[in-house]
Amino acid sequence: MSKWLASAVILCLLATGCGTVARNETSPSPQNNKGVRVQQTTPRKEPINSPKEVAAHLESLANRVPGVDGAHCVVFQNTAVVGIDVAGDLDRSRVGTIKYAVAEAFRKDPYGIDAVVTADMDISSRLKQMGADIKQGRPLQGFAEEMSDIIGRIVPQLPRDIQQPNEEPQRTNQASQNRQPHRSK
């Protein structure tokens, strides 16, 4: 009897599992939705015909951002890498904000949309701070902090990764509506 009951339960579970796969018609499918069209909202990347002019253009854009002491650009084929010079005593979050501002300025420019923005490492200032941390008796913590500052400056910021302010609230608003529990009265 128990063998018959166990096999009946397994058969019911298999039938139930197969039934849910077959009824998955509620999810939207691109094949059923042929009328949806999306326009590209970001500027298209312009081909680089004159690397020197593009480098000078991107350097001038970067130099306009507050906190940038200087900028240098290298253009290789169709890619630009822009290094910005910032004050050596800035903390990691401020350097990240400046890199973001430069990338934001590049996002609106057809030559800068795929540029890579990075900041100088300011090694002499980092070594000076490591020495001070060692004298204060915190060699490992000081080394770790300075290495994170160096890496934070090197990691590039890409203009394509920046989202427009009007894009963000719509997505979060829909997500928050979906997450709110329904209260019954």
Side-chain angles (χ1 to χ4, degrees), residues 114-133:
D114 285 328
V116 176
V117 180
T118 185
D120 64 324
M121 296 180 290
D122 205 13
I123 295 293
S124 62
S125 174
R126 302 286 152 227
L127 290 173
K128 179 180 175 184
Q129 187 60 42
M130 277 188 220
D133 289 336

Side-chain angles (χ1 to χ4, degrees), residues 1-9:
M1 177 80 174
S2 66
K3 287 182 183 182
W4 182 81
L5 184 61
S7 59
V9 169

Side-chain angles (χ1 to χ4, degrees), residues 42-165:
T42 59
R44 294 180 188 261
K45 183 177 180 181
E46 293 288 325
I48 297 175
N49 298 325
S50 174
K52 289 182 183 180
E53 288 178 17
V54 171
H57 173 69
L58 292 178
E59 286 174 4
S60 71
L61 279 177
N63 281 321
R64 292 181 200 160
V65 174
V68 175
D69 295 336
H72 303 283
C73 180
V74 175
V75 177
F76 179 71
Q77 293 180 350
N78 222 16
T79 303
V81 178
V82 181
I84 58 173
D85 187 20
V86 296
D89 60 346
L90 294 178
D91 64 351
R92 191 175 357 147
S93 63
R94 179 68 183 134
V95 173
T97 302
I98 294 170
K99 283 180 9 183
Y100 188 87
V102 171
E104 197 171 36
F106 286 176
R107 186 177 193 277
K108 299 170 187 164
D109 186 80
Y111 290 114
I113 190 70
D114 285 328
V116 176
V117 180
T118 185
D120 64 324
M121 296 180 290
D122 205 13
I123 295 293
S124 62
S125 174
R126 302 286 152 227
L127 290 173
K128 179 180 175 184
Q129 187 60 42
M130 277 188 220
D133 289 336
I134 290 171
K135 288 178 184 175
Q136 292 175 356
R138 15 175 278 154
L140 293 178
Q141 185 178 5
F143 178 76
E145 287 172 359
E146 296 308 318
M147 285 306 295
S148 67
D149 283 345
I150 290 170
I151 291 169
R153 287 178 176 230
I154 295 173
V155 172
Q157 177 70 52
L158 304 173
R160 281 207 185 266
D161 292 345
I162 296 176
Q163 297 209 349
Q164 292 294 332

Side-chain angles (χ1 to χ4, degrees), residues 9-72:
V9 169
I10 291 174
L11 184 62
C12 287
L13 288 175
L14 286 174
T16 305
C18 293
T20 58
V21 173
R23 283 187 263 139
N24 196 7
E25 298 170 5
T26 58
S27 65
S29 172
Q31 296 167 350
N32 297 339
N33 210 354
K34 294 178 183 176
V36 175
R37 303 227 186 256
V38 178
Q39 289 183 337
Q40 182 175 357
T41 57
T42 59
R44 294 180 188 261
K45 183 177 180 181
E46 293 288 325
I48 297 175
N49 298 325
S50 174
K52 289 182 183 180
E53 288 178 17
V54 171
H57 173 69
L58 292 178
E59 286 174 4
S60 71
L61 279 177
N63 281 321
R64 292 181 200 160
V65 174
V68 175
D69 295 336
H72 303 283

